[in-house]
Amino acid sequence: MNHLLKMLDLSKEEIIELLNLADQLKYEKANNIPHPHLAGKTLAMIFEKSSTRTRVSFEVGMYQLGGHPLFLSSNDLQMGRGEPIQDTARVLSRYCDGIMIRTFGHSIVEELAEHSSVPVINGLTDFSHPCQIFADLLTIREYKGSFEGLKVCFIGDPNNMANSLIVGALKLGMRFSLASPEGYTLHPEIAAFVADYPDAFEQTTDVLQAAKEADVVITDVWASMGDEGEAEERKKAFANYQINNQVMEVADADAIVLHCLPAHREEEITAEVFEKYADVIFDEAENRLHAQKAILVKLMAPSVLEI
């Protein structure tokens, strides 16, 4: 594992290894046990898409690991003014020990990794959001104890979140049910992946069917960053694709609700349901920090894991 670009690249064993490391680092942080595994190392953080959780969790994570985060917006880079991605990759590789990028097209991350001599971490693309999914998986395991046999239900757009969550869930032995409107289809790479899991995956337009006996119910905003031009059209298409009391009544009695945030209350989730499960949702948000610290250590200081 030289980079973290998408969940499709990872084996079940690699996912579990990262989750176990995140657990360890979370325990050490809670018990004030220092873990300066990245002392003297610098992470370049490229943000072509703005963020609250991604920026703060990576900056704090690098600090807690003894390293230094370097925030770079599009205005700070020549890449935003026409410098080829491969040149940016080669320059940053000479200065920094790792690169995290939050951007639009997934091909940008792939090209960056191809030309970088240091690890590249996908902080989000239009296709994939692996860092968020590690936080989700960490939260699911904390609340449910294990993955095997659980049913995950995602209600909404089959976007970057759903793409990554589907892969992570199926690789770890969970069943997955996706509820989305007619016309909102799976990305071809994800459709090819789920073809190998015919008994564990379903996509339906029926929200209640998808949520029936689900152990984990998840949603995301109807219009992701970059889809703002379709916001009104999506409000109409997704009007009935909401986590509400009716949905939770058909889910398992001990089901949990997750949301990657920010949440648009009364759109993809009601305020009542959000507040009922707020503790879980903000545990999930906190777990971005612990999961990403594990990713940083695994990629930027793998030797410490062999001690």
Side-chain angles (χ1 to χ4, degrees):
M1 180 177 168
N2 299 316
H3 307 286
L4 179 64
L5 307 182
K6 57 185 184 294
M7 296 301 292
L8 285 166
D9 296 336
L10 304 178
S11 66
K12 175 180 179 178
E13 292 70 28
E14 287 174 319
I15 295 171
I16 294 294
E17 180 187 6
L18 278 168
L19 293 174
N20 290 344
L21 179 56
D23 274 339
Q24 176 187 328
L25 295 171
K26 184 174 183 176
Y27 171 83
E28 291 175 356
K29 174 65 174 63
N31 289 277
N32 297 313
I33 301 171
H35 40 238
H37 302 315
L38 300 185
K41 294 184 182 289
T42 300
L43 177 71
M45 306 191 310
I46 302 172
F47 283 85
E48 294 192 307
K49 280 188 175 182
S50 59
S51 170
T52 299
R53 280 149 292 278
T54 300
R55 178 176 179 180
V56 175
S57 57
F58 268 109
E59 287 201 10
V60 172
M62 280 297 291
Y63 174 79
Q64 291 179 0
L65 290 166
H68 179 74
L70 181 64
F71 174 81
L72 300 167
S73 72
S74 297
N75 294 330
D76 299 317
L77 293 169
Q78 293 298 332
M79 193 171 82
R81 292 184 284 273
E83 182 172 41
I85 294 167
Q86 62 263 38
D87 291 357
T88 298
R90 287 181 285 193
V91 167
L92 291 179
S93 295
R94 302 292 182 103
Y95 297 147
C96 302
D97 302 284
I99 302 169
M100 188 284 296
I101 181 169
R102 183 177 168 94
T103 187
F104 292 89
H106 190 76
S107 61
I108 295 171
V109 172
E110 297 281 355
E111 187 174 355
L112 196 66
E114 180 184 350
H115 295 280
S116 172
S117 59
V118 299
V120 172
I121 299 169
N122 175 5
L124 175 141
T125 65
D126 292 348
F127 171 66
S128 184
H129 198 358
C131 290
Q132 177 63 53
I133 272 43
F134 272 102
D136 294 351
L137 295 174
L138 193 61
T139 309
I140 291 169
R141 191 169 70 172
E142 286 177 349
Y143 276 85
K144 296 298 180 180
S146 66
F147 299 113
E148 205 66 38
L150 294 181
K151 177 181 176 180
V152 177
C153 167
F154 184 93
I155 298 172
D157 185 18
N159 58 10
N160 49 9
M161 265 292 299
N163 290 342
S164 300
L165 194 59
I166 288 167
V167 175
L170 294 181
K171 284 191 175 187
L172 292 177
M174 292 184 274
R175 292 176 292 132
F176 199 99
S177 186
L178 171 65
S180 50
E182 199 76 47
Y184 288 84
T185 57
L186 289 175
H187 187 282
E189 283 190 57
I190 305 303
F193 173 79
V194 301
D196 292 332
Y197 298 85
D199 298 325
F201 176 82
E202 70 165 344
Q203 182 174 10
T204 176
T205 58
D206 188 330
V207 173
L208 297 183
Q209 177 185 325
K212 186 178 180 182
E213 299 178 348
D215 301 284
V216 184
V217 185
I218 307 181
T219 190
D220 192 8
V221 295
W222 292 338
S224 299
M225 197 176 293
D227 294 327
E228 291 86 355
E230 304 173 14
E232 290 307 312
E233 175 187 337
R234 284 171 172 263
K235 277 188 179 182
K236 295 175 183 177
F238 287 94
N240 297 317
Y241 291 81
Q242 178 189 74
I243 300 181
N244 51 36
N245 285 332
Q246 187 180 12
V247 167
M248 297 313 297
E249 283 171 6
V250 301
D252 185 81
D254 295 321
I256 60 172
V257 172
L258 299 179
H259 194 306
C260 62
L261 303 176
H264 294 173
R265 291 162 174 79
E266 307 308 332
E267 290 188 6
E268 75 276 2
I269 188 169
T270 63
E272 182 179 358
V273 171
F274 183 93
E275 292 305 327
K276 181 177 179 179
Y277 295 92
D279 286 348
V280 188
I281 291 168
F282 288 103
D283 280 345
E284 173 194 12
E286 178 191 334
N287 280 337
R288 283 291 299 273
L289 171 64
H290 309 299
Q292 286 163 189
K293 285 168 69 175
I295 292 164
L296 290 166
V297 171
K298 173 66 176 175
L299 291 176
M300 295 173 64
S303 60
V304 305
L305 304 179
E306 301 166 6
I307 298 174

